[in-house]
């Protein structure tokens, strides 16, 4: 083995230790020459090997920075921990995250926890049973404290970089996150309906989703700021069980009162998301309520569901792949040792045919 190859091997070990300790640079060429008793040419050839492996990046005048990759491909793993991998918006999200990590030197593995802290704990214990991944993108499933924060702390202490998606836990306050500006989304969606002349706007929201609380507040504040009433009786708050009834069986039990006493008194409705809005529209149509003739509908997520049916649903959305791209970019920056702040994603109105002016 040549001297520069021996030095490259020594520096690979140093890189592994440096990343685990949070260091992000190598010593200068002169310092390496003095430490290892090597010529400058030997040091430069060793650094060239490390660059070719993708372990360092050098810039004239600023020395060598670690890229975040560990020596050995099996150590450069990124884990995605999501509520689901199959439902609704998740397949596109997973595909987009994988695309962002393509050609970066990182492999990507996936776990789903179905919104269950116990399943999350099993997944985290399985992850901790082997070498800690270099990074994780974790979907936040609650804005309360997480009972598995102890395992996340173990991952952090092992040198794993964490990024939260959709929010953060109260007992993991320092983990950077990518989140939606749900208040702004709710405010803008309600304001759109108000601009179309609607003054009696109902709302359908999830009672057990923290993102829904921001959208609900935005909806209420838009009505308030425009001098419109916002009675609690105009809002249907559904939990997961009610939502499942609505999506899979028409939900007649929870809709009877809402359709009879609320929708009949309103000209528009704002829904928590497309998954809730689309079956609601089907059920309303079955009951003789026409969209948008009798009732205008606005929703969230701008998913493929909005194009299924006679109307294209007006829905609040993001730029294509933006949440996944932002989460991956934030994690890659963290892996390179760059300090990053939270990313708050704005909602945009995706036009459709489910809204008309009040007659």
């Amino acid at each position: 083995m040549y001297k520069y190859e021996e030095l490259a091997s020594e520096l690979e070990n140093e890189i592994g230790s440096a990343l685990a300790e949070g260091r992000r640079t190598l010593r200068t060429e002169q310092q390496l020459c003095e430490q290892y008793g090597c010529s400058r040419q030997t040091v430069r050839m060793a650094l060239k090997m490390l660059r070719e492996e993708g372990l360092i990046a050098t810039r004239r005048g600023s020395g060598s920075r670690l890229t975040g990759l560990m020596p050995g491909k099996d150590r450069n793993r990124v884990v995605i921990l999501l509520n689901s991998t199959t439902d609704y918006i998740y397949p596109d999200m997973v595909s987009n995250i994988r695309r962002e990590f393509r050609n970066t030197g990182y492999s990507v593995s996936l776990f789903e926890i179905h919104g269950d802290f116990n399943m999350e704990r099993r997944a985290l214990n399985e992850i901790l049973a082997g070498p800690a991944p270099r990074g994780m993108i974790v979907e936040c499933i609650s804005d309360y404290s997480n009972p598995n924060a102890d395992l996340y702390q173990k991952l952090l202490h092992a040198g794993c970089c964490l990024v939260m998606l959709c929010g953060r836990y109260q007992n993991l306050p320092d983990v950077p996150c990518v989140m939606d500006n749900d208040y702004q989304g709710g405010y803008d969606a309600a304001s759109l309906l108000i601009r179309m002349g609607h003054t009696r706007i109902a709302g359908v929201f999830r009672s057990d989703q923290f993102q829904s609380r921001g959208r609900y507040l935005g909806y209420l504040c838009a009505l308030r700021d425009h001098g419109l009433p916002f009675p609690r009786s105009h809002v249907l708050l559904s939990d997961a069980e009610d939502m499942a009834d609505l999506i899979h069986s028409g939900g007649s039990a929870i809709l009877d009162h809402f359709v009879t006493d609320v929708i009949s008194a309103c000209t528009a409705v704002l829904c928590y998301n497309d998954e809730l809005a689309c079956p609601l529209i089907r059920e309303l149509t079955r009951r003789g309520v026409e969209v948008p003739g009798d009732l205008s509908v606005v929703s969230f997520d701008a998913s493929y569901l909005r194009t299924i049916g006679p109307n294209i649903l007006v829905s609040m959305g993001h730029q294509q792949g933006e949440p996944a791209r932002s989460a991956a970019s934030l994690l890659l920056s963290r892996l390179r040792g760059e300090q990053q702040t939270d990313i708050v994603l704005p909602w945009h109105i995706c036009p459709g045919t489910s809204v008309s002016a009040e007659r």
Side-chain angles (χ1 to χ4, degrees):
M1 182 181 291
Y2 292 107
K3 180 67 174 177
Y4 71 87
E5 293 175 322
E6 293 178 358
L7 178 57
S9 179
E10 289 283 346
L11 293 177
E12 284 184 357
N13 292 333
E14 181 176 331
I15 287 172
S17 300
L19 289 172
E21 295 168 5
R23 290 189 283 120
R24 294 295 182 258
T25 59
L26 282 181
R27 287 180 290 282
T28 65
E29 288 184 5
Q30 182 60 38
Q31 289 171 330
L32 291 173
C33 289
E34 294 172 358
Q35 178 180 353
Y36 291 101
C38 299
S39 68
R40 189 175 291 271
Q41 181 64 21
T42 297
V43 169
R44 288 178 175 173
M45 291 179 68
L47 294 177
K48 181 175 182 290
M49 288 186 65
L50 298 183
R51 281 197 301 274
E52 290 172 348
E53 293 179 41
L55 301 179
I56 64 170
T58 55
R59 183 178 299 174
R60 186 178 298 277
S62 59
S64 299
R65 287 188 59 83
L66 309 187
T67 63
L69 290 173
M70 282 276 197
K73 292 184 178 180
D74 60 326
R75 303 176 70 185
N76 294 305
R77 182 169 65 112
V78 167
V79 171
I80 310 171
L81 199 65
L82 293 179
N83 180 41
S84 170
T85 60
T86 57
D87 294 342
Y88 194 33
I89 61 174
Y90 289 100
D92 278 348
M93 182 177 292
V94 172
S95 176
N96 287 328
I97 291 176
R98 288 187 183 277
R99 185 180 298 113
E100 292 299 317
F101 279 98
R102 194 176 298 158
N103 302 321
T104 63
Y106 293 97
S107 63
V108 177
S109 56
L110 189 62
F111 291 80
E112 58 183 327
I113 59 173
H114 299 288
D116 186 302
F117 283 130
N118 193 56
M119 290 187 67
E120 180 187 52
R121 191 164 191 87
R122 288 203 298 268
L124 291 173
N125 277 318
E126 181 179 341
I127 293 166
L128 283 163
R134 286 289 298 122
M136 289 181 65
I137 295 175
V138 180
E139 182 181 7
C140 183
I141 59 175
S142 168
D143 58 351
Y144 297 109
S145 293
N146 189 320
N148 300 318
D150 58 323
L151 299 185
Y152 282 117
Q153 291 294 346
K154 286 184 179 181
L155 285 163
L156 289 168
H157 291 153
C160 178
C161 294
L162 295 182
V163 167
M164 292 290 176
L165 185 61
C166 299
R168 67 157 54 85
Y169 297 108
Q170 292 180 4
N171 53 346
L172 291 168
D174 298 326
V175 177
C177 69
V178 176
M179 66 182 77
D180 299 323
N181 191 339
D182 287 309
Y183 173 86
Q184 167 258 322
Y187 194 101
D188 289 353
S191 296
L192 167 66
L193 292 169
I194 295 168
R195 289 196 300 273
M196 297 297 289
H198 296 279
T199 58
R200 292 163 294 146
I201 304 171
V204 181
F205 298 96
R206 286 285 298 272
S207 60
D208 55 351
Q209 286 284 348
F210 62 96
Q211 296 99 326
S212 184
R213 292 199 284 272
R215 298 172 196 180
Y216 181 24
L217 180 60
Y219 151 85
L220 293 174
C221 290
L223 296 176
R224 175 203 66 194
D225 291 350
H226 286 84
L228 298 177
F230 45 94
R232 174 62 180 83
S233 60
H234 282 184
V235 177
L236 173 63
L237 292 174
S238 62
D239 60 17
E241 185 176 349
D242 289 339
M243 185 173 177
D245 286 342
L246 175 59
I247 293 171
H248 300 298
S249 62
S252 58
I254 65 169
L255 276 182
D256 279 335
H257 166 73
F258 196 65
V259 172
T260 303
D261 297 334
V262 178
I263 294 295
S264 60
C266 295
T267 62
V269 62
L270 174 58
C271 289
Y272 165 65
N273 64 12
D274 297 347
E275 191 177 26
L276 187 56
C278 291
L280 175 62
I281 291 174
R282 288 197 301 269
E283 181 64 12
L284 292 171
T285 301
R286 188 183 72 81
R287 293 166 181 253
V289 179
E290 295 183 1
V291 175
D294 298 322
L295 188 76
S296 290
V297 181
V298 177
S299 182
F300 278 82
D301 287 342
S303 70
Y304 70 94
L305 294 176
R306 65 188 287 264
T307 63
I308 299 174
N311 297 105
I312 298 176
L313 185 60
V314 176
S315 188
M316 308 298 290
H318 300 299
Q319 295 180 5
Q320 179 64 34
E322 187 176 20
R325 186 167 55 251
S326 296
S329 174
L330 182 57
L331 181 55
L332 285 167
S333 294
R334 297 278 294 168
L335 291 168
R336 291 192 294 266
E338 301 166 2
Q339 294 300 315
Q340 296 290 324
T341 58
D342 295 344
I343 297 176
V344 181
L345 302 177
W347 290 99
H348 306 286
I349 298 170
C350 297
T353 59
S354 65
V355 173
S356 63
E358 184 180 9
R359 298 173 183 174

